[in-house]
Amino acid sequence: EVQLVESGGGLVQPGGSLRLSCAASGFTFSSYDMHWVRQATGKGLEWVSAIGTAGDTYYPGSVKGRFTISRENAKNSLYLQMNSLRAGDTAVYYCARSTPGGPSDYWGQGTLVTVSS
Amino acid sequence: DIQMTQSPSSLSASVGDRVTITCQASQDISNYLNWYQQKPGKAPKLLIYDASNLETGVPSRFSGSGSGTDFTFTISSLQPEDIATYYCQQYDNLPPITFGPGTKVDIK
């Protein structure tokens, strides 16, 4: 069974940093692109970052230069290092997998990040 | 960046009704369009990929069509368990991947 389990969320002050993790199981992790998608309370979905099977990374302008996605295939793990956090980064963060260049077919249950003083 | 619009933003329909949601891309995305269902407090679930392909295990009352810039998502006979918000997503142009604003579906 495919499972994606996020962790690392919590309360952080503006300007602070946080590292999210996503533990994957039930599939060959190294063969899939991985994504982070976030959702503020009551709002829509916003794609945050992606990493390909070759380690290529992609970001939208809203987080580029502040967030870093990485993966550790030996540990079946995905990470999101978030720096210079702002109130607008407050959201539930989901990790999701996709076949290379394909849709995100499995998602984790999310971890809540709250940026507040 | 490619912008996605959806309409309506919300709708209310009766059980058994046919429900249609439209999604429009700001530029040609071929068929790189997916549809997701999200129930409150849950992660999104992939229903339709590449505009018209039904994901494995998804009931056949769900369908999608379109290409280029205009896409349609249909529930042929609305069921109580279909109450959710539905999002379209384009992945033709990465980065960024973009989602539509969502359509909330309720039972009348």
Side-chain angles (χ1 to χ4, degrees):
Chain A
E1 179 193 4
V2 173
Q3 283 199 323
L4 296 169
V5 179
E6 302 92 339
S7 61
L11 175 64
V12 61
Q13 292 189 338
S17 298
L18 208 57
R19 189 196 197 205
L20 305 184
S21 299
C22 173
S25 60
F27 64 101
T28 304
F29 180 73
S30 60
S31 297
Y32 287 81
D33 293 349
M34 297 297 296
H35 303 256
W36 289 99
V37 176
R38 69 185 180 185
Q39 185 172 39
T41 302
K43 303 297 184 181
L45 300 167
E46 180 186 16
W47 172 77
V48 171
S49 60
I51 185 166
T53 56
D56 43 316
T57 59
Y58 306 90
Y59 306 92
S62 57
V63 307
K64 194 169 186 178
R66 300 189 300 123
F67 289 11
T68 302
I69 188 172
S70 61
R71 64 191 301 161
E72 192 168 358
N73 291 337
K75 293 187 175 182
N76 291 335
S77 292
L78 176 73
Y79 306 102
L80 184 68
Q81 177 67 42
M82 304 185 294
N83 298 329
S84 303
L85 283 162
R86 308 164 179 167
D89 297 317
T90 295
V92 173
Y93 285 72
Y94 297 100
C95 68
R97 77 163 199 183
S98 68
T99 54
S104 296
D105 60 351
Y106 279 91
W107 298 59
Q109 286 308 299
T111 187
L112 176 63
V113 172
T114 303
V115 183
S116 175
S117 55
Chain B
D1 295 357
I2 297 174
Q3 307 302 317
M4 306 300 292
T5 57
Q6 272 183 250
S7 62
S9 57
S10 65
L11 66 89
S12 187
S14 299
V15 172
D17 280 356
R18 184 180 184 88
V19 168
T20 299
I21 299 168
T22 62
C23 177
Q24 187 169 57
S26 60
Q27 64 189 68
D28 190 335
I29 59 170
S30 185
N31 67 333
Y32 294 105
L33 191 285
N34 306 313
W35 290 96
Y36 294 88
Q37 175 193 66
Q38 188 180 32
K39 297 182 178 180
K42 300 294 186 181
K45 175 185 176 182
L46 178 66
L47 300 181
I48 303 289
Y49 64 94
D50 294 347
S52 60
N53 295 294
L54 192 67
E55 176 70 350
T56 302
V58 173
S60 59
R61 64 180 180 274
F62 297 101
S63 65
S65 64
S67 67
T69 61
D70 295 300
F71 302 87
T72 300
F73 172 81
T74 300
I75 307 173
S76 61
S77 177
L78 186 68
Q79 300 302 304
E81 60 266 32
D82 300 336
I83 299 313
T85 300
Y86 294 84
Y87 295 93
C88 61
Q89 176 208 45
Q90 73 80 21
Y91 66 110
D92 175 55
N93 189 346
L94 171 71
I97 290 171
T98 47
F99 291 89
T103 297
K104 187 174 183 180
V105 175
D106 282 327
I107 295 287
K108 191 182 295 182

